[in-house]
Amino acid sequence: MLRLITTLLATAVLAGCATRGPAGLDLDTSVTAISQASRVRSIVLHYTTVDDATSMKLLSRGKVSAHYLINPDGHAYRLVDESRAAWHAGASSWYGNIAMNSTSIGIELVNPGWTEGQDGQPVWHAYDDRQVRALTILLRDIIQRHGIAPENVVGHSDIAPQRKVDPGPLFPWKALAAAGIGRWYDEAGAAEHLTRLQTQGVPDVTWFQAQLLRLGYTSPQDGVLDRATINTLAAFQMHYRPARHDGQPDAETAAIMLAMP
Ligand SMILES: [Zn+2]
């Protein structure tokens, strides 16, 4: 121990006591505590709905921002340093945490989201492979540096299901999970649950609301299939069962929920 202190002192002397504080303060930054963690707990993914130039303008010169912006060709910008908060989450909550702007990193992807088709139904726009490749590299790096848990890689729709649908049902959650990024469910387990539920019947609304809460979502807990519950179920489905995201509590959604850690 004495030798360690001597070494530390010697290092401090060599570093000129590392005085880098404000004028008039004798501040020594030569010793770093081993017990510490990143303040970043989650990553929130978005689409911008507008083109490259407009996205850049809105996110760098407007009242909203994100840490990263990725164009469809895979060119990525860092607009806010990771040590600072960007304004991308708005009123939101994940596992009860409502301070999402100050505890997350926001990534915006240039993508139109959805436009109205000829039949009046929404048409969703796929993500470019180059953009997904760039995102994958970026996500891996952020997750590793900040020690982010799989369930905390989320979409804007997951944390604000009453207001937001981005990054939408075509966002490649499953492919990212196959690459070791984010939370996914045990697919074989879900298939078994589905077989059982098809004979036993679908659980009631109270059960779905409790599951949503368990999985991080904010949902009413009153047993009523109201608009807020439907929106939250739709957010869950867009993430884990995007083929149908109408917010209806069905057997497949229940089976997936049961197969989630
Ligand atoms: Zn968003």
Side-chain angles (χ1 to χ4, degrees), residues 76-98:
Y77 299 90
R78 188 176 63 207
L79 305 175
V80 177
D81 190 274
E82 289 182 11
S83 66
R84 295 175 64 79
W87 298 341
H88 62 97
S92 52
S93 171
W94 189 243
Y95 282 102
N97 174 19
I98 58 167

Side-chain angles (χ1 to χ4, degrees), residues 45-47 88 108 156 164 166:
L45 297 152
H46 307 259
Y47 61 54
H88 62 97
E108 289 271 3
H156 204 183
K164 298 291 175 180
D166 60 316

